[in-house]
Amino acid sequence: MTRRISRRSFLRAGAAAGGAVVVGGCADASAAPAEPEVDPTTVVSFLSHIGAWQPGVVTPAPRHAIIAVFDTTAASLDQLRSALTALSIEVDLLTSGTPSEAGDPLFPPPDNRIIGTTPDADDLTVTVALGASVFDDRFGLAPHAPRQLTLMPSFPNDRLDPARTHGDLLVQICSQREIVAHHALRRLMLATRDTLTLRWMQAGFQELNTLGPGRTSTRNLLGFKDGTANLDTSDATVIHKHVWVSADDDEPAWTVGGTYMVSRIIRNRVEFWDRTPLATQELIMGRRKDSGAPLSGDDEAQTPEFDEGGEVTPLSAHIRLANPRTPGSEANLILRRGFNFANGFSADGQLDQGLLFVCFQRSMADGFLTVQGRLDGEALEEYIRPVGGGFFFAPPGRTAPGEPFAAGLLAVGGTSANN
Amino acid sequence: MKVADRSGAFTLCRVRNSRVRRALPLALLVALCATACDASSDPPAATATTAGASISTPEPAADTTTVSAAELQRATGTYRLLLDDQLVMLQARTTEFSDAIRAGDLATAKSMYNWAREPWTQVELVAELFPLSDIAIDSRADDHPLGVADPAFIGFHALEYVLWAQGSIDGVQLDGARLADQLDRDVSRVVAELRSVAIDPEMLTNGAAASIEEAAQTKVTGHEDIYSHTDLATLDGNVRGARAAFDLVAPMLIKVDANLADDISDAYANLDAVLDQYRSSNSFQPFDAVTTADRNRLKTATATLSEYLARVTGALGLVVEG
C-alpha cells in the first residue's frame, strides 16, 4: 500500500546510478528501519488517503505546510458535493504517484509540471475541514453541524484581520518539499475553479522532529523546543481519547472519526523577544531554552512539577497555563501540529514571523477553548499577537477513492433536503 | 543588598489584566519630562534634550564599580516626584481639553489634543500596569473588533476621531461630550492608581526599554494617531519619557558599563536629531511629511535604542537568574 523510500538511501542511490533510483531506494529502505542510526524522518512515503480518519492529523508533521481556506460559491448541496468530489479525485491522483498526462499541445496542459511529470513520494497529505459557515442556510446542513463548531471568537489578545479569519472550507497540504505542496494546491484549485475561491492562506515550515515521544528536536521561532509534551500520535488509545470524535459523543453520527481543527496565525514579535533576557524568556515559557527541560527539572522528558507559589515555575508560565497537570486537566489535552511562518516584514520594519498554530481535538469545549481560556493573560502575550485563523471540523476519512470528502454529511444533508 | 528579585525578570512584560499582574509583580516605568511645566500652562515649546547632559555627572558613591541599594532608592524616589508632577498635569490638561469639547469648541479642542496627551505619553508605561485604564484612555480603533463603531472605542483616540475624522463634536457617530465625560473619569481613575503604585528600580530601566519598544512598532509608521497625524508628538513624548527614566539610572550605569551608557546617549541623540527636523514652534509636522529616508532613520534609531536599553537591567544586576 505504501512505498517507503529512505531519503538518505535515495540520495546515495541517486548519486551512484542517476536514473532508476526509486526501485533501488525501495529496496534499501526495507532494511533501513532495523538500523538504529537511520533517522526515521528521512523516510518519505506515499501516504494512504483512504481510511477511518483523514491523514495530516496524526501523521508526523513534515517540513512544509500550506493552510488554504476557501469560501465556496456553490449554490446548492449538489454543487458542494461536486466540489468535495473534485477535491477527492485530485487528492487521490496527487498522493498515489500517478503521472500527469501530457495532454493535447493545442490546449493548456492538464498539470502545471512544477514538479515534473510524476509526483514522487514526499509524505504529501491533504486534509479537508469545514468551517461553521458551511452549516448556514445555503445547503440545508444546519441540523447536521458538529455540535461545537462555531466561528472563532476574538480572544482578548487577538487582533483578527477579517481577511485572514474564518472561511467555508480549509485545505491543509503538508509535504517534505515546499514545491510539492504548492503543486498540490494549484492542482486542487484548478479542479475547483467554479466553486472555491481563496479567502486566506498561510504557508508554514518546520524542522523535523527526530526525537520523542516526550522529547522534540523541533523549535519554534522563539527558539524554544515546541511539542515536547504533545500527545503521542503512536498511542492509539491516547489519540482516540483526545482527538477523534467517537460514537459515544453527543455529535451527529457522520462526525465519528472526524476531529475539530483549530488554525491560528500567531505573529511573534521576534525582535522584541530576541532582546529579552534569557532568564525572562525561560520564566515566560516555563522551560529551559537550550535543553527544553522544565524549570522544575534538568531533562526535557521529565514531567514538569509546578510549585504552588510559582517561585520555580511562575504561575503565568506558558506550559503551566497550557497544561497545569492538575487532576482533571488531562481531559483538556489537544494534539498540536503547528508550523512556523515567515511572511516578510511589516511597515515598522519588523519581521512578520510566527506560529501557524494547528491543533486537533475531540471536543472544542474540553480542548482548545479550555486551553485558550487558561492562556488568556499569559506572560507570553506581550510577545505574540494572533491575527487570523478559524475553527473547522475535519470530517472522517474517505472509505474509497473518489468518494467526496464529508460523504457522510452530504448523505444525511441530501436526505433532509428531500424530506 | 537585594536588588535582584524575581519580579525583575518580568519587567518587560506589560500585562493586560489584574490576574496576571498579581502573578507577575511587574514593574515598569515611565519617563518624565523633568522640566515639567505647571499644570495649566500653555502647550509648551518642544524642549530639545541635550544628549548626554545628565549622565555626565555620576553621583558620588563609596563604591565606584557596583550599584548600591541607596543609589537605586534615590533614583526611584526622584522618579516618584516626577511621576506625581506628571499626574497633576495629566489631570488638569485633560479637564481643559474635555471642557473645550463640552463647550463645542472644535478648533480649540483640536489645538489642545497633543498638549493634553503629552503627560499621558510620558506616564503611559506605568499606566499600562492598569490595563483597564490604559484601554479606556488610549486604545485605537483597530484594537476593537468593531473599530470606530465599537462601544469600547473611547478615550483619546475616539476623541481624535471626533475632532479630525467626524469633524463635529455632536456628530451622528460618536458623541464628543459623552466621550469627554468618560475620559475625565478614566483619567481620574488612572491618576489615583498611579499615585499609589510602588516604584521599583526595574521600572526605570525596563520602563525606558518598553517605551521605546512600543514606539518602534506603531509610532514610526504613522499608525498611532491616524486621524490627526500627530504621531511624532506621541513619539516625542515617549522618547522624552524614556530618556528621563534612563537619566535617573545613567549615573549608576556609567559606573558599571560606561560604553553602554555612551551608546544609549548617542542613540537618543540620533533619534532626537530626526525628530528635531520636524519640530515646529510648539508641535510637529504631520507624519505624512516625514520622508522615506527619515522614516527609515526613525526605524533604525528606535530599533538600535531598543537593543541597548534591553541590556541596562542586566548591566545593573537587576535581573535574577531564572
Side-chain angles (χ1 to χ4, degrees):
Chain A
M1 177 178 86
T2 298
R3 280 192 279 156
R4 300 197 74 81
I5 300 170
S6 158
R7 184 170 289 265
R8 193 169 295 164
S9 305
F10 180 94
L11 293 173
R12 220 172 28 235
V21 292
V22 173
V23 173
C26 283
D28 239 30
S30 61
E35 300 173 20
E37 71 271 19
V38 172
D39 180 348
T41 61
T42 61
V43 176
V44 292
S45 313
F46 289 111
L47 299 174
S48 169
H49 277 57
I50 303 300
W53 43 80
Q54 292 193 62
V57 179
V58 297
T59 312
R63 291 184 173 85
H64 291 281
I66 295 173
I67 299 271
V69 177
F70 299 86
D71 282 335
T72 180
T73 55
S76 67
L77 189 64
D78 277 345
Q79 287 183 7
L80 182 64
R81 180 185 289 108
S82 296
L84 291 167
T85 304
L87 286 175
S88 170
I89 291 168
E90 285 303 302
V91 166
D92 290 331
L93 293 172
L94 289 165
T95 58
S96 60
T98 307
S100 53
E101 293 170 15
D104 183 332
L106 296 180
F107 290 85
D111 181 85
N112 51 62
R113 288 289 202 264
I114 64 174
I115 56 170
T117 57
T118 307
D120 54 7
D122 197 50
D123 293 345
L124 175 67
T125 61
V126 179
T127 313
V128 170
L130 305 172
S133 51
V134 166
F135 299 92
D136 62 17
D137 55 8
R138 284 175 291 172
F139 310 112
L141 296 175
H144 311 291
R147 297 282 183 264
Q148 300 185 30
L149 185 61
T150 63
L151 288 180
M152 183 173 76
S154 181
F155 296 96
N157 194 41
D158 291 6
R159 295 292 181 277
L160 301 178
D161 172 3
R164 288 192 283 175
T165 306
H166 311 317
D168 287 339
L169 187 138
L170 177 149
V171 178
Q172 174 194 259
I173 305 169
C174 300
S175 60
Q176 298 292 1
R177 288 187 293 139
E178 192 174 13
I179 199 167
V180 170
H182 286 285
H183 172 258
L185 175 65
R186 283 168 61 171
R187 281 275 298 268
L188 293 170
M189 288 178 64
L190 176 60
T192 54
R193 290 264 191 260
D194 55 344
T195 43
L196 298 183
T197 183
L198 274 171
R199 180 180 175 97
W200 60 270
M201 175 176 149
Q202 179 63 61
F205 60 92
Q206 63 149 13
E207 293 295 302
L208 295 177
N209 181 12
T210 58
L211 307 171
R215 297 177 188 277
T216 186
S217 59
T218 303
R219 288 179 185 269
N220 57 31
L221 293 183
L222 299 177
F224 276 74
K225 292 188 168 205
D226 197 345
T228 296
N230 208 357
L231 294 181
D232 177 2
T233 52
S234 67
D235 186 333
T237 306
V238 165
I239 295 304
H240 275 282
K241 185 172 178 183
H242 294 291
V243 177
W244 306 124
V245 171
S246 140
D248 304 334
D249 297 342
D250 178 26
E251 292 282 5
W254 71 268
T255 64
V256 174
T259 181
Y260 287 96
M261 177 177 187
V262 174
S263 179
R264 281 160 67 78
I265 306 171
I266 303 175
R267 182 166 175 189
N268 296 340
R269 293 178 57 191
V270 294
E271 289 91 349
F272 183 21
W273 181 255
D274 285 348
R275 55 182 166 243
T276 298
L278 176 61
T280 307
Q281 293 185 12
E282 293 183 334
L283 288 168
I284 288 172
M285 299 304 297
R287 288 188 184 275
R288 299 290 175 202
K289 193 166 190 179
D290 286 349
S291 67
L295 296 183
S296 56
D298 55 15
D299 185 272
E300 181 187 4
Q302 289 171 338
T303 300
E305 291 171 17
F306 298 134
D307 56 312
E308 195 176 339
E311 289 300 310
V312 176
T313 308
L315 301 176
S316 63
H318 180 75
I319 67 163
R320 184 167 191 157
L321 292 171
N323 181 3
R325 281 126 174 132
T326 51
S329 71
E330 190 260 358
N332 309 123
L333 296 177
I334 57 179
L335 174 62
R336 284 171 294 129
R337 199 170 183 275
F339 293 82
N340 304 311
F341 71 80
N343 292 341
F345 63 97
S346 51
D348 54 13
Q350 302 199 8
L351 292 169
D352 182 7
Q353 300 188 346
L355 174 66
L356 174 56
F357 175 89
V358 175
C359 77
F360 299 97
Q361 53 264 293
R362 179 175 170 181
S363 156
M364 287 298 290
D366 289 344
F368 178 79
L369 290 173
T370 292
V371 174
Q372 182 58 45
R374 285 196 299 247
L375 289 173
D376 284 341
E378 67 168 327
L380 184 61
E381 280 190 348
E382 186 60 19
Y383 298 88
I384 65 176
R385 174 55 49 86
V387 295
F391 290 174
F392 300 87
F393 186 84
R398 294 171 301 135
T399 59
E403 177 186 294
F405 286 96
L409 170 65
L410 294 170
V412 293
T415 302
S416 65
N418 293 338
N419 285 345
Chain B
M1 179 178 79
K2 182 173 170 52
V3 295
D5 64 20
R6 178 164 300 281
S7 69
F10 275 105
T11 50
L12 277 176
C13 314
R14 287 183 298 112
V15 284
R16 290 191 171 76
N17 67 41
S18 54
R19 174 167 60 88
V20 180
R21 193 162 63 79
R22 283 194 299 274
L24 304 179
L26 286 202
L28 287 192
L29 160 42
V30 179
L32 300 178
C33 177
T35 57
C37 341
D38 77 69
S40 58
S41 69
D42 290 334
T47 309
T49 318
T50 306
S54 59
I55 64 170
S56 59
T57 52
E59 294 180 35
D63 185 335
T64 57
T65 56
T66 61
V67 175
S68 74
E71 285 173 290
L72 289 168
Q73 232 167 26
R74 273 198 298 277
T76 56
T78 306
Y79 181 70
R80 176 79 262 170
L81 299 175
L82 297 177
L83 177 60
D84 286 343
D85 281 351
Q86 290 288 332
L87 294 177
V88 170
M89 257 200 303
L90 175 62
Q91 182 88 70
R93 291 186 181 189
T94 301
T95 304
E96 281 196 57
F97 175 59
S98 295
D99 283 346
I101 290 169
R102 280 186 289 260
D105 189 345
L106 187 84
T108 301
K110 283 170 87 164
S111 73
M112 295 175 83
Y113 174 74
N114 280 317
W115 174 76
R117 256 173 76 74
E118 189 203 352
W120 170 261
T121 62
Q122 303 203 31
V123 303
E124 199 170 355
L125 282 162
V126 186
E128 284 173 345
L129 289 171
F130 302 95
L132 292 178
S133 296
D134 183 23
I135 291 168
I137 293 169
D138 199 39
S139 58
R140 300 186 308 267
D142 64 0
D143 288 326
H144 302 286
L146 302 180
V148 169
D150 203 303
F153 179 47
I154 58 175
F156 275 122
H157 292 297
L159 285 165
E160 181 198 1
Y161 178 86
V162 165
L163 297 176
W164 274 273
Q166 184 169 281
S168 80
I169 285 171
D170 52 358
V172 289
Q173 273 192 290
L174 299 183
D175 179 351
R178 188 185 59 77
L179 288 169
D181 290 345
Q182 181 70 46
L183 181 66
D184 284 347
R185 285 195 294 274
D186 290 326
V187 164
S188 293
R189 180 177 62 184
V190 83
V191 164
E193 288 166 338
L194 292 177
R195 283 209 169 108
S196 60
V197 72
I199 308 296
D200 296 331
E202 297 86 353
M203 288 182 171
L204 301 177
T205 55
N206 290 329
S211 176
I212 300 301
E213 195 75 59
E214 193 73 17
Q217 282 185 79
T218 56
K219 291 155 193 168
V220 298
T221 58
H223 196 63
E224 173 71 10
D225 300 283
I226 56 171
Y227 312 114
S228 62
H229 307 293
T230 55
D231 309 76
L232 291 181
T234 301
L235 175 60
D236 181 62
N238 289 152
V239 171
R240 281 186 292 125
R243 178 58 190 264
F246 170 74
D247 284 350
L248 293 175
V249 300
M252 292 175 267
L253 184 61
I254 286 173
K255 290 200 300 181
V256 295
D257 192 341
N259 288 338
L260 181 57
D262 282 346
D263 287 339
I264 291 171
S265 197
D266 291 347
Y268 271 120
N270 286 338
L271 195 45
D272 276 338
V274 186
L275 286 169
D276 283 345
Q277 296 178 53
Y278 296 94
R279 283 184 211 274
S280 53
S281 59
N282 63 353
S283 68
F284 282 88
Q285 295 177 48
F287 195 83
D288 325 39
V290 184
T291 64
T292 301
D294 283 335
R295 289 180 193 215
N296 286 340
R297 289 176 68 197
L298 286 177
K299 289 176 196 172
T300 55
T302 51
T304 304
L305 188 51
S306 288
E307 294 292 346
Y308 290 137
L309 292 177
R311 311 186 69 82
V312 174
T313 305
L316 294 177
L318 295 176
V319 172
V320 268
E321 292 310 310

